[in-house]
Amino acid sequence: MAASLSRALKLPGKKGSDLGEYDPLTQADSEDETEDDDLVLNYPRNGLNPAVADLRGEEELDEEEEELREGAGHEAGSGRGQGGAAEEKAARVRGAMRSAAFLLPLSCAALLVLLCAFLIPCPQGAPLHTQWERELGDTAGVTSPPIALWDVDGDGVEDILIGVTNISNNSQPMNAQNKELSVWALGGSGGQLLWRKPLREPLISVQCGLQTGNSDPLHSSACVLISSGHIIAINASTGWTLWTTAVKDVESHAVLLPDLQGDAFPDLLIATLPEDQVSDLALVLISGRSGALIGRPVNFNLTAQGKLIGPLLHVTQTGAYYVLFGLGKVEAVSLSFIFSRATGQKAASRVLLKEPSWERLRKSNSSSLIHISSVSELVEFLLSLVVGSCQRLRNLDGVSALNCSRSDWIVLSDSSRRLSVLRASDTLPVWSLGLAAIHTHPAVGHFNDDGVPDLLIHQSANGVRKVQIVDGAQGRSLWEAEFVCPRLAVEDSSVLTASGQSVFLFWAGDPLVQPQNVSKAAEPVLRKLFLLHPNYPTILLELSSTTDTILSAAVSYQAQQKDASYISVSSRPSASRSLGAQMLQTLGLRAAATDARILRLTDADKPSVFQLRKFFRHLAFRQ
């Protein structure tokens, strides 16, 4: 179109410097309404061409074309000069307004983000102290006060529930009249008292996690307090009593069962054992909703004279429920039998299942008991071969109970002092290991990467403590070392890390380079808490040392910080207390490991101190 118009008019692209640039297309797009402009714009549309111009004469056409070009050039130049400047100014104004409209909200949003991030402090809970201690009361002859760990206040940190004994008059001999018994709930972040509940009897155990049916997360869990004569369920957040049941001669912790009554609440089982009738062991079913007894106690005429074993719930591969218990022996009985004997009714369909491989172990059809352990050996303890706190703290939440109910078992025989792992599928031993002197339960964790939990055990004899990690799959020794005996009977611990490995914690004296007998230890005995990581088997971290007597210990977790704390209860001599003071201490593991004293057992592996500090500074723990 532009080329045709230029050829028809025979116009150059530029007129001159005094008239400005001239372009027929720009001229055609102009909004000028003058007659001359109309002539230029309509010229090609009227069909005029050089042939018609010849009829009118070359001279006349040239004159007219010259006049048209000059007139159109002057008009277009002046119109474009004024209109273009106005349009350019308006365009700049519109562009500035659009830029302002875009940048203003963006600047406000950025300012708000910076304000929230740096100027306005975010709401936070109580500060988490990596190390603190609190005096609880009198030692009062308590060897191992019951401890439970549960997030009571909902801050993501496990809090501590512990039985406390105080003597109201230290000048008088300790008796039932001047003993003040209670259970305390202490904040895991700093030891602050959350609530306190008086008791009438000493506690046997404290277990938390029982579901209450409340939709409020802070009030959805209950803790069960067990004494020799009563079972009390309390709100974990407030300490208020939910229900109380009187049961005589209670000797065990509570076992979480599936719902037996169809009320959508899990139920409980405990063992009772009268002092004057040691052979009359009974299992008692208790409603988890109301605390009422489910039927009557189920008695078992057991003649063995040994320690109370269990009770422990086991779920077979086919989903059948069995309860393991005994007196010096490990017996098993189906949960459906217990329920039918207690109530005279049949249990729910899922509880009615039985394991054929187990039922074949029954000695006779008339007996309800299945013998798990050897008849000739008395059993010292029975544990689940599973990593975690379910077997030590015995929390009553479904996850912990499920983890402990589907594993193999660890059995220690009393007479031969043989430690064995029994396979749950057929109750046959996987391996056995002879031990000289073991007095505490093993700590279960992952030392190697075969997926089978390993065991940390210690033996003490002749002033020497031998600490050993045993392969859970084969029973062979994976790691061992000897130390000066700390004269403690506290259980060892393991903590699972984010990588799937476990760190192991144990109390001992100074390491012994060469095997030797230590006839007499120095007074007072200095006890040291060591940490062992599988990645550095020749390195020990000394986390703390004390002359206090450690009574019990546990490990709590802080999920948000991916950290863990070592909690210990100790007895400390006190000038104001004739029996000594009972102290509760917590130690943050990541901070303690970062600043710990490093002990090298051999010179074979020499990672630098900087490498060790960096590794443990970034260590993450999980449940």
Side-chain angles (χ1 to χ4, degrees):
M1 180 67 181
S4 301
L5 183 59
S6 299
R7 287 193 302 269
L9 295 177
K10 297 182 179 178
L11 297 177
K14 292 184 179 180
K15 177 64 181 178
S17 59
D18 58 329
L19 296 179
E21 292 185 359
Y22 177 78
D23 190 339
L25 294 179
T26 305
Q27 179 73 18
D29 292 338
S30 174
E31 296 180 358
D32 199 312
E33 300 291 338
T34 63
E35 181 179 354
D36 293 334
D37 289 339
D38 289 341
L39 178 58
V40 175
L41 294 175
N42 292 329
Y43 187 80
R45 290 194 294 270
N46 289 337
L48 296 178
N49 51 49
V52 178
D54 291 339
L55 298 176
R56 298 173 57 185
E58 290 292 331
E59 293 182 358
E60 183 181 354
L61 180 59
D62 292 338
E63 291 175 358
E64 290 177 359
E65 289 175 350
E66 184 68 16
E67 291 175 358
L68 287 174
R69 285 197 304 269
E70 292 178 356
H74 283 291
E75 291 292 334
S78 60
R80 288 181 61 200
Q82 297 176 359
E87 289 181 3
E88 184 178 357
K89 182 178 181 180
R92 286 197 301 267
V93 172
R94 288 194 299 270
M97 292 179 63
R98 285 195 298 268
S99 300
F102 172 75
L103 294 176
L104 183 61
L106 185 62
S107 302
C108 293
L111 182 62
L112 182 62
V113 171
L114 293 175
L115 188 66
C116 294
F118 297 103
L119 300 181
I120 301 177
C122 297
Q124 297 179 352
L128 182 62
H129 302 285
T130 59
Q131 183 175 359
W132 57 266
E133 72 173 21
R134 180 180 180 125
E135 183 174 331
L136 299 177
D138 299 277
T139 303
V142 179
T143 57
S144 182
I147 296 178
L149 301 175
W150 195 256
D151 185 6
V152 169
D153 51 8
D155 62 352
V157 178
E158 287 187 326
D159 304 305
I160 305 167
L161 287 83
I162 185 171
V164 177
T165 302
N166 280 294
I167 307 301
S168 58
N169 188 354
N170 282 295
S171 62
Q172 299 294 328
M174 182 183 62
N175 52 53
Q177 284 71 31
N178 62 358
K179 287 172 57 175
E180 296 178 358
L181 306 173
S182 60
V183 58
W184 290 10
L186 301 175
S189 58
Q192 65 276 14
L193 182 64
L194 302 178
W195 52 259
R196 176 182 178 274
K197 184 176 183 61
L199 300 173
R200 292 181 293 178
E201 299 170 328
L203 284 177
I204 296 176
S205 72
V206 182
Q207 299 168 256
C208 292
L210 183 66
Q211 297 302 306
T212 64
N214 195 317
S215 59
D216 186 354
L218 282 178
H219 300 281
S220 61
S221 298
C223 295
V224 177
L225 313 179
I226 300 179
S227 61
S228 60
H230 293 85
I231 300 177
I232 306 172
I234 60 174
N235 185 299
S237 299
T238 62
W240 297 343
T241 301
L242 300 177
W243 51 258
T244 302
T245 299
V247 182
K248 293 183 179 180
D249 304 315
V250 180
E251 289 291 335
S252 76
H253 59 274
V255 177
L256 187 72
L257 301 178
D259 178 19
L260 300 176
Q261 304 180 96
D263 57 2
F265 283 82
D267 298 309
L268 303 174
L269 179 143
I270 59 170
T272 62
L273 184 64
E275 292 183 1
D276 55 348
Q277 298 178 3
V278 293
S279 62
D280 195 11
L281 176 65
L283 299 180
V284 182
L285 299 177
I286 299 174
S287 169
R289 181 177 185 178
S290 64
L293 297 184
I294 301 176
R296 61 182 183 274
V298 180
N299 295 317
F300 296 90
N301 187 19
L302 299 179
T303 58
Q305 303 296 319
K307 288 187 177 181
L308 175 64
I309 305 300
L312 181 69
L313 182 69
H314 181 76
V315 183
T316 66
Q317 295 179 352
T318 60
Y321 290 88
Y322 286 85
V323 177
L324 280 64
F325 70 109
L327 288 174
K329 307 287 183 181
V330 182
E331 313 283 357
V333 61
S334 65
L335 182 58
S336 61
F337 174 83
I338 299 174
F339 183 81
S340 61
R341 284 289 300 270
T343 63
Q345 303 173 0
K346 288 187 177 181
S349 58
R350 65 170 180 164
V351 183
L352 286 174
L353 294 175
K354 293 185 179 181
E355 180 69 35
S357 61
W358 280 39
E359 294 298 324
R360 288 193 293 267
L361 300 174
R362 197 186 306 277
K363 297 299 181 181
S364 64
N365 293 332
S366 60
S367 174
S368 60
L369 298 178
I370 300 172
H371 299 288
I372 301 298
S373 62
S374 172
V375 177
S376 60
E377 296 267 345
L378 289 179
V379 173
E380 183 80 10
F381 58 72
L382 172 72
L383 301 174
S384 299
L385 183 63
V386 60
V387 177
S389 60
C390 61
Q391 63 183 355
R392 178 171 301 178
L393 298 174
R394 300 188 179 96
N395 284 337
L396 297 175
D397 62 298
V399 175
S400 294
L402 184 62
N403 288 341
C404 265
S405 63
R406 296 181 180 271
S407 68
D408 295 338
W409 310 300
I410 309 167
V411 176
L412 177 66
S413 300
D414 187 17
S415 56
S416 63
R417 312 305 297 175
R418 295 193 66 83
L419 186 70
S420 305
V421 168
L422 302 184
R423 189 165 45 237
S425 59
D426 54 12
T427 72
L428 296 177
V430 179
W431 55 261
S432 295
L433 179 67
L435 301 173
I438 178 172
H439 303 288
T440 60
H441 295 172
V444 183
H446 290 289
F447 189 83
N448 56 17
D449 56 359
D450 61 359
V452 179
D454 306 308
L455 284 65
L456 172 67
I457 61 175
H458 67 255
Q459 307 173 67
S460 300
N462 301 321
V464 176
R465 169 159 293 184
K466 181 180 180 180
V467 181
Q468 189 175 10
I469 294 181
V470 179
D471 186 4
Q474 303 178 19
R476 59 189 178 90
S477 178
L478 299 176
W479 181 92
E480 60 183 48
E482 291 188 344
F483 304 82
V484 175
C485 182
R487 294 194 291 182
L488 285 177
V490 64
E491 294 182 5
D492 304 321
S493 303
S494 69
V495 191
L496 194 63
T497 66
S499 65
Q501 295 174 305
S502 299
V503 296
F504 296 86
L505 303 164
F506 59 91
W507 289 92
D510 291 324
L512 297 176
V513 179
Q514 298 293 334
Q516 55 183 299
N517 292 336
V518 181
S519 58
K520 186 177 180 180
E523 294 288 349
V525 178
L526 185 61
R527 288 112 180 184
K528 300 181 178 182
L529 178 62
F530 291 107
L531 181 147
L532 171 66
H533 195 287
N535 284 3
Y536 299 100
T538 62
I539 299 293
L540 286 178
L541 300 184
E542 182 183 321
L543 303 185
S544 68
S545 60
T546 182
T547 57
D548 296 346
T549 300
I550 311 300
L551 303 176
S552 61
V555 176
S556 68
Y557 293 88
Q558 296 90 46
Q560 296 179 354
Q561 292 81 12
K562 296 182 180 180
D563 199 359
S565 295
Y566 185 80
I567 301 171
S568 61
V569 180
S570 62
S571 174
R572 178 179 300 173
S574 174
S576 60
R577 299 178 183 271
S578 59
L579 298 174
Q582 192 174 100
M583 306 298 299
L584 176 68
Q585 298 173 308
T586 65
L587 184 67
L589 290 184
R590 185 186 298 129
T594 303
D595 300 329
R597 178 189 172 200
I598 300 174
L599 282 78
R600 302 180 186 272
L601 300 179
T602 66
D603 295 332
D605 186 12
K606 290 186 176 181
S608 66
V609 174
F610 174 77
Q611 290 175 326
L612 292 172
R613 302 288 187 207
K614 182 179 180 181
F615 176 81
F616 287 104
R617 189 181 300 115
H618 296 90
L619 195 61
F621 300 97
R622 65 180 177 90
Q623 286 182 301

